Amino acid sequence: MKLTHTQEESIHMVDVTSKPITQRTATAEGEIHLKEDTIKLIREKKIEKGNVLATAQIAAINAIKNTWNLIPLCHPLPITSTKLKFKTLNNKITVKVTVKCNAKTGVEMEALTGVSVALLTIWDMVKSLEKDEKGQYPHTKISNIKVVEKKKSEQR
């Protein structure tokens, strides 16, 4: 098996020079489990730190645009579109992120990074409500982060 990021003792970015520019789309999702009381306050926009979902959306978009700075050997990509959807249930919030670009490599890492940072931001915004009497988070959990779809189509 040939490793794509190493050559002998050297580490490098994968060479995509000869690949054609194509329209790339990736969608990822994940969820954060929270206490029902916390979810209620998020819905009512009564969280002390501010609007949780709006803040998570801004954080996700910033993360998407900066994925190449966070993930070693990731190519910087010209992001052309991002879409975030939040679904608030009684005990969890799901986040779905779709990222598009016209490039020589895909945007899966950007979509995954966007989901991850959105979920981490939600946690940070509500952590004071989620702590138990010992300062622990027995109900709070981020899970099921995954790529749910990836597409590539030739440029016209």
Side-chain angles (χ1 to χ4, degrees), residues 67-84:
T67 299
W68 66 278
N69 277 320
L70 301 171
I71 308 295
L73 310 177
C74 209
H75 289 85
L77 297 176
I79 304 301
T80 58
S81 174
T82 63
K83 185 194 293 187
L84 279 84

Side-chain angles (χ1 to χ4, degrees), residues 18 25 27 30 58 70 75 80 84-85 93 106-107 113 123 144 147 156:
S18 63
T25 304
T27 301
I58 292 167
L70 301 171
H75 289 85
T80 58
L84 279 84
K85 289 184 182 178
I93 297 174
V107 287
T113 301
W123 189 318
N144 297 323
V147 173
R156 296 172 204 216

Side-chain angles (χ1 to χ4, degrees), residues 38-146:
T38 303
I39 296 281
K40 184 175 185 263
L41 292 171
I42 291 170
R43 280 188 173 128
E44 295 171 355
K45 295 183 174 50
K46 291 184 177 177
I47 299 297
E48 186 179 330
K49 286 187 172 183
N51 186 322
V52 172
L53 301 184
T55 304
Q57 189 169 17
I58 292 167
I61 292 167
N62 280 339
I64 289 163
K65 295 183 335 182
N66 285 289
T67 299
W68 66 278
N69 277 320
L70 301 171
I71 308 295
L73 310 177
C74 209
H75 289 85
L77 297 176
I79 304 301
T80 58
S81 174
T82 63
K83 185 194 293 187
L84 279 84
K85 289 184 182 178
F86 297 95
K87 186 174 183 181
T88 306
L89 304 170
N90 288 336
N91 66 341
K92 69 180 176 180
I93 297 174
T94 62
V95 180
K96 190 177 223 178
V97 173
T98 299
V99 181
K100 292 181 181 180
C101 77
N102 295 317
K104 297 181 178 200
T105 188
V107 287
E108 302 93 318
M109 296 313 299
E110 286 72 12
L112 288 164
T113 301
V115 166
S116 300
V117 170
L119 293 168
L120 289 168
T121 300
I122 292 168
W123 189 318
D124 182 57
M125 297 282 293
V126 302
K127 65 186 177 191
S128 64
L129 301 169
E130 289 292 302
K131 289 180 191 176
D132 66 11
E133 61 281 348
K134 295 179 183 175
Q136 302 304 308
Y137 302 98
H139 306 286
T140 316
K141 176 176 74 171
I142 292 173
S143 62
N144 297 323
I145 298 172
K146 60 189 172 198

